[in-house]
Amino acid sequence: MDSETNFSSLQLTCPICDQSSVRLFRKNSYWIRECDRCHHQFSEQQPTAKSVSQIYDGQYFQGDGPGYIDYLAEAELLQQLGQYYAERLAYYVLPGTVLDVGAAAGFVLQGLMTAGWRGEGVEPNPRIAEFGEEQLGLKMTVGTLENYPTQNRFDLVMMVQVIQHFYNLKLALHTASMVTKPGGFWLIETWDRSSLLARMRGQNWHAYTPPSRSHWFSPPGLERLVAQYGFQEVARGSPSKWMNGQYRKSVLRYQLMDKAWGKTLAQGLNLMPDQIKTPYIGGDIFWGLYQKAV
């Protein structure tokens, strides 16, 4: 019996509600599954701790694909995103200590710190984490949330576009809960698989990019998941996100590359200036703020 048969015959359970799941479709040679009960979607073959360094290597931060074409060129926009979240957080909590998970170089963290937050980042890519330490003066830990030291404690754990990347979702969130102070918060931003755009595009939705992303949430599904760790939703919204021309072209090229007519259309993207800044208006991203019980 081959691995394909093994996977299809197994009753793979949902990581949120532990109910059975079924295959939906294949993407990038990976099967996407959906829970029979809560409809959470996840990749059949989850990443491993060993594969993290390969998935988020230098190519993820500089090259056409599911990551960034030039991460460092996004610095200003990412800092502004951190400032945006600082403004949202101000309605619910005073600035304190923050752990930025999947911080990359720490630009979002840097934006948050301009509002008085004190924090550090954890990032699996050693070279981009080194940039944050040496060029931005941030405290960075090289690694993943799954293996982060649990003796540390924070008022806020920030997971901006990272929860879909965890190689062990339950271990990562258990660790996040351990390092969050009683009464502390999680700020999570991720893709909304229940959005109109996601439903219209179906399996062609651009957020389906396994193995770099292996989970696709809905707001109610994420709310149920964090409740398992003692957290309650206190706020939800859609982020104010902007993209420069270079990154937008990278995303569009990645979406077009597997289509027969895609290469021709992709050539026209060169007319878009690299530095032009445009708002992201897909409507398929949400953020939630969740508070831990005292």
Side-chain angles (χ1 to χ4, degrees):
M1 183 180 292
D2 59 22
S3 59
E4 178 81 4
T5 306
N6 277 330
F7 270 116
S8 61
S9 60
L10 285 175
Q11 286 295 313
L12 297 184
T13 58
C14 171
I16 293 182
C17 68
D18 292 321
Q19 298 300 306
S20 61
S21 66
V22 295
R23 283 178 166 176
L24 286 183
F25 54 85
R26 192 195 292 266
K27 195 73 173 181
N28 300 340
S29 300
Y30 291 80
W31 278 101
I32 308 299
R33 301 185 72 95
E34 183 173 88
C35 175
D36 290 323
R37 181 180 180 183
C38 73
H39 305 293
H40 176 65
Q41 295 177 2
F42 58 100
S43 175
E44 185 170 273
Q45 296 165 272
Q46 292 289 300
T48 64
K50 185 177 180 180
S51 68
V52 168
S53 60
Q54 299 171 332
I55 295 172
Y56 307 110
D57 61 6
Q59 185 70 17
Y60 185 84
F61 291 96
Q62 192 167 26
D64 280 336
Y68 298 88
I69 189 170
D70 186 356
Y71 168 78
L72 297 181
E74 299 285 308
E76 182 182 354
L77 295 178
L78 292 170
Q79 289 165 350
Q80 291 172 358
L81 181 62
Q83 294 166 1
Y84 165 84
Y85 279 125
E87 293 172 358
R88 304 283 82 72
L89 287 164
Y91 290 101
Y92 306 97
V93 58
L94 294 173
T97 55
V98 56
L99 175 66
D100 185 7
V101 180
F107 293 126
V108 176
L109 174 60
Q110 197 177 39
L112 204 68
M113 292 173 70
T114 61
W117 287 88
R118 309 176 308 281
E120 61 185 80
V122 55
E123 165 57 42
N125 185 297
R127 297 184 67 180
I128 203 73
E130 183 181 26
F131 181 94
E133 285 193 328
E134 295 184 354
Q135 302 299 319
L136 305 181
L138 300 173
K139 181 180 179 181
M140 304 289 288
T141 297
V142 176
T144 64
L145 183 58
E146 289 91 337
N147 59 26
Y148 185 77
T150 56
Q151 70 269 20
N152 299 334
R153 295 291 183 270
F154 299 90
D155 297 300
L156 172 69
V157 175
M158 183 166 62
M159 295 176 265
V160 174
Q161 289 297 339
V162 69
I163 192 171
Q164 63 267 25
H165 298 295
F166 292 143
Y167 68 85
N168 187 324
L169 181 63
K170 291 186 176 181
L171 176 58
L173 294 184
H174 172 74
T175 303
S177 179
M178 292 289 291
V179 302
T180 306
K181 295 177 182 179
F185 292 83
W186 287 354
L187 174 64
I188 302 176
E189 178 196 298
T190 189
W191 299 97
D192 182 0
R193 63 155 185 81
S194 65
S195 68
L196 177 61
L197 180 62
R199 287 183 282 116
M200 287 177 59
R201 300 209 65 192
Q203 66 185 62
N204 293 317
W205 184 38
H206 59 87
Y208 289 127
T209 57
S212 67
R213 298 181 183 118
S214 52
H215 292 276
W216 297 272
F217 299 90
S218 67
L222 186 56
E223 187 176 5
R224 285 192 294 269
L225 176 61
V226 302
Q228 297 175 19
Y229 299 88
F231 286 77
Q232 183 177 6
E233 183 181 273
V234 295
R236 184 195 303 172
S238 297
S240 175
K241 296 181 77 76
W242 290 71
M243 304 170 69
N244 66 27
Q246 190 179 44
Y247 183 43
R248 188 175 290 276
K249 286 187 289 186
S250 173
V251 172
L252 290 173
R253 286 194 190 100
Y254 185 76
Q255 296 173 22
L256 294 170
M257 66 181 182
D258 60 347
K259 298 177 174 58
W261 43 267
K263 290 183 179 179
T264 300
L265 188 59
Q267 292 177 353
L269 295 175
N270 294 327
L271 299 175
M272 182 186 298
D274 285 348
Q275 299 307 315
I276 189 172
K277 294 179 176 61
T278 56
Y280 182 80
I281 54 175
D284 54 351
I285 300 175
F286 73 97
W287 60 264
L289 183 65
Y290 310 93
Q291 186 171 24
K292 186 177 183 179
V294 177

